[in-house]
Amino acid sequence: MGNRFQVKDRFADGAQYIDGRLRPGTSGRSHTVVDPATGDEVLTYELASTADVDEAVAAAVRAFPGWSGATPGERSDALHRLAAVLAEQAEDFAGAESLQCGKPIKLSTEFDVPGTVDNTAFFAGAARHLQGQAAAEYSGDHTSYVRREAIGVVGSIAPWNYPLQMAAWKILPAIAAGNTVVLKPAELTPLTSLMFAQAAKDAGLPDGVVNIVTGTGREAGEHLVGHPDVVMTSFTGSTAVGKRVAEIATATVKRLHLELGGKAPFLVFDDADLEAAAHGAVAASLINTGQDCTAATRAYVQRPLHDAFVARVAELMESVRLGDPFAPGTDLGPLVSHAQRDRVAGFVERARGYATVVTGGEIPGGELAAGAYYRPTLITGAAQDSEVVQSEIFGPVLVVLPFDTDDEGIALANDTPYGLAASAWSRDLYRANRATREIKAGCVWVNDHIPIISEMPHGGYKASGFGKDMSAYSFEEYTQVKHVMYDNTAVAAKDWHRTIFGDR
């Protein structure tokens, strides 16, 4: 196995980052970060207690007046410095991300880290663009204008599949708008979230603006969401847990942003470029070992192309190189944990009873046996209401189903509870445009699947949640809109008063 990022000394002081310093948790319980490629221990740390959450929130409350009172230009400058620090430390961030997640180093180096740097630079610019309706005399007798103000302490929870990017998506728009943040990363993958907070301090952000509590969802997470001093919760994770987050948040009338599960359809019409669609399907279903809420999971292929598509996708999947995440030639790393691998394998094994596993469906042996690896898997012959078509597997598994008419294809694409992302493949502009209009998803790609950019929003329909990450739309999530209205008449007894008392 290749050289791995060394973390034990870096986090010797603990895995909680509160008020500008690392410290241990006080729950009395520990957790071990494991390298999923080898099963080796990476770091054992003390988990956060509810008292640690209270201290982190208190630090954020103290930091809020100063940070929210800074000018947009001052916050922008701080975020520009943060982007520079992240770029300087890019190699360390990529190494830590691949170590804790099992991502191929080429993915961490070329996607996760530069994407995070770009997001930081984007929100550095967004901090100076607080948009609102033009000031004017809408009533005739008054001048009205809109203020966008910071809302307070944001308590955010990020998942384990993209720990660095998700931390950035939660933290950046919030602090650009003048809020302060307490983030709970997943216990499995806290390293790069902690490093991000340290980078913020290196960039000169005040202590308490960014805090990280690393604990369990049931203890630290639920306490954070329900905390009376937390005014907004942003959560990314499964729909089932999102429902629980919503229950807790609504009890204290918090603002809520949920980015939940997905089961993205990949709709291939019969005039599509077969080679492009096949390559796109393999890349989009296997990115991050399929642990991506926007990954292509259900390929609906119009019948004239179906068999050729299946054959070509199987051929391409069989060429994918599994291996050490730190080897430059590795295409596919392990899943995040052995438990997650076994969960994915369970879906595939159950599917053998009602569908055909064309390729994959195996846990590799040999040098990879100790890791949480699973071969790229292609399934055909499943019914639309079957488990592998309807449930989020979150692994390197693609299910292919045929359809006949365009109406049928679009209906099948919409036939799950989810609506996060989708793609349509066609050379016909009108056909593709119809798909973008009628597929119920927060993002619909045409003749591609997966690319994201900082300037455009990410978020879903239906059971995939609500609210947006990235883009100016995300920035708006973290501001409070206030209407200010000035009387311009200087008249004591106004005409409208007669509707309440007196005569004209």
Side-chain angles (χ1 to χ4, degrees):
M1 292 285 182
N3 292 329
R4 280 163 157 67
F5 181 72
Q6 299 301 310
V7 300
K8 288 187 177 180
D9 291 342
R10 186 156 189 166
F11 298 107
D13 292 332
Q16 316 300 325
Y17 190 84
I18 299 173
D19 207 14
R21 67 181 183 89
L22 287 171
R23 42 163 283 185
T26 62
S27 69
R29 298 185 309 282
S30 63
H31 184 84
T32 299
V33 178
V34 173
D35 179 350
T38 63
D40 294 340
E41 176 188 333
V42 171
L43 176 73
T44 297
Y45 65 90
E46 299 299 315
L47 289 161
S49 67
T50 57
D52 297 323
V53 173
D54 289 341
E55 290 192 30
V57 172
V61 169
R62 289 192 299 271
F64 178 73
W67 183 246
S68 62
T71 67
E74 289 168 337
R75 292 196 295 270
S76 176
D77 289 347
L79 290 178
H80 278 300
R81 295 194 301 270
L82 175 56
V85 171
L86 294 171
E88 290 168 3
Q89 299 177 9
E91 186 176 350
D92 282 354
F93 274 99
E97 196 77 336
S98 286
L99 182 64
Q100 66 181 352
C101 300
K103 296 175 187 282
I105 192 67
K106 65 180 181 179
L107 183 66
S108 296
T109 301
E110 298 178 31
F111 179 68
D112 295 76
V113 175
T116 301
V117 174
D118 187 71
N119 263 269
T120 307
F122 173 83
F123 281 108
R128 303 184 80 140
H129 294 281
L130 295 170
Q131 297 182 351
Q133 196 164 359
E137 288 68 49
Y138 294 101
S139 77
D141 290 337
H142 306 81
T143 296
S144 289
Y145 66 89
V146 169
R147 291 178 55 88
R148 283 195 175 274
E149 299 178 346
I151 58 177
V153 178
V154 179
S156 294
I157 300 176
W160 47 256
N161 57 334
Y162 290 102
L164 175 59
Q165 291 207 76
M166 294 295 101
W169 288 11
K170 301 297 182 196
I171 293 169
L172 290 169
I175 64 174
N179 304 290
T180 54
V181 176
V182 179
L183 173 79
K184 192 199 88 66
E187 308 96 288
L188 291 173
T189 55
L191 305 182
T192 47
S193 298
L194 292 163
M195 291 167 64
F196 188 93
Q198 291 175 304
K201 184 180 179 71
D202 293 343
L205 273 75
D207 292 347
V209 172
V210 178
N211 305 274
I212 309 293
V213 288
T214 307
T216 66
R218 192 165 294 279
E219 183 173 3
E222 292 198 3
H223 190 66
L224 178 63
V225 173
H227 199 290
D229 290 333
V230 170
V231 298
M232 175 180 173
T233 291
S234 178
F235 170 81
T236 297
S238 71
T239 298
V241 177
K243 291 177 181 178
R244 174 62 180 156
V245 169
E247 289 174 0
I248 299 170
T250 53
T252 51
V253 199
K254 296 186 194 310
R255 185 177 296 198
L256 188 59
H257 168 214
L258 298 175
E259 198 265 272
L260 307 177
K263 190 70 177 175
F266 187 99
L267 187 60
V268 183
F269 294 103
D270 58 14
D271 67 331
D273 182 324
L274 176 62
E275 194 69 6
H279 277 81
V282 173
S285 62
L286 300 185
I287 184 172
N288 203 33
T289 318
Q291 299 165 125
D292 186 310
C293 49
T294 63
T297 59
R298 302 176 288 138
Y300 296 101
V301 185
Q302 208 150 23
R303 207 170 294 275
L305 286 186
H306 178 270
D307 292 351
F309 178 88
V310 169
R312 186 61 175 134
V313 168
E315 182 180 25
L316 291 171
M317 278 190 170
E318 288 164 5
S319 73
V320 170
R321 299 164 296 182
L322 279 69
D324 176 8
F326 287 87
T330 293
D331 296 322
L332 196 74
L335 287 106
V336 74
S337 67
H338 288 78
Q340 179 64 15
R341 181 204 59 192
D342 293 345
R343 179 180 180 276
V344 170
F347 274 101
V348 176
E349 290 308 306
R350 291 189 296 275
R352 293 184 193 277
Y354 56 81
T356 299
V357 177
V358 176
T359 190
E362 298 173 347
I363 297 173
E367 294 181 354
L368 303 181
Y373 290 89
Y374 198 75
R375 294 201 183 280
T377 301
L378 180 64
I379 295 174
T380 61
Q384 174 67 13
D385 62 356
S386 63
E387 180 186 48
V388 290
V389 175
Q390 293 293 325
S391 298
E392 189 172 30
I393 299 173
F394 231 55
V397 179
L398 177 65
V399 184
V400 182
L401 300 90
F403 70 93
D404 292 303
T405 67
D406 290 14
D407 287 350
E408 180 190 11
I410 292 172
L412 290 169
N414 284 328
D415 185 29
T416 72
Y418 302 106
L420 186 58
S423 63
W425 297 73
S426 174
R427 291 184 175 95
D428 186 319
L429 174 64
Y430 298 100
R431 208 175 203 183
N433 274 344
R434 180 193 174 191
T436 65
R437 291 194 307 272
E438 296 186 13
I439 292 175
K440 304 303 180 187
C443 175
V444 181
W445 293 281
V446 176
N447 295 327
D448 208 345
H449 191 118
I450 283 297
I452 55 174
I453 50 176
S454 297
E455 292 82 359
M456 287 291 130
H458 174 86
Y461 286 29
K462 303 189 295 185
S464 291
F466 49 82
K468 300 299 179 185
D469 288 313
M470 300 195 299
S471 81
Y473 296 98
S474 172
F475 190 51
E476 292 176 359
E477 302 268 347
Y478 294 91
T479 61
Q480 186 73 267
V481 174
K482 178 186 285 184
H483 170 217
V484 178
M485 185 181 241
Y486 283 91
D487 169 57
N488 293 328
T489 67
V491 173
K494 295 177 172 57
D495 188 55
W496 73 266
H497 292 175
R498 70 181 179 81
T499 64
I500 313 301
F501 70 100
D503 299 318
R504 189 185 295 276

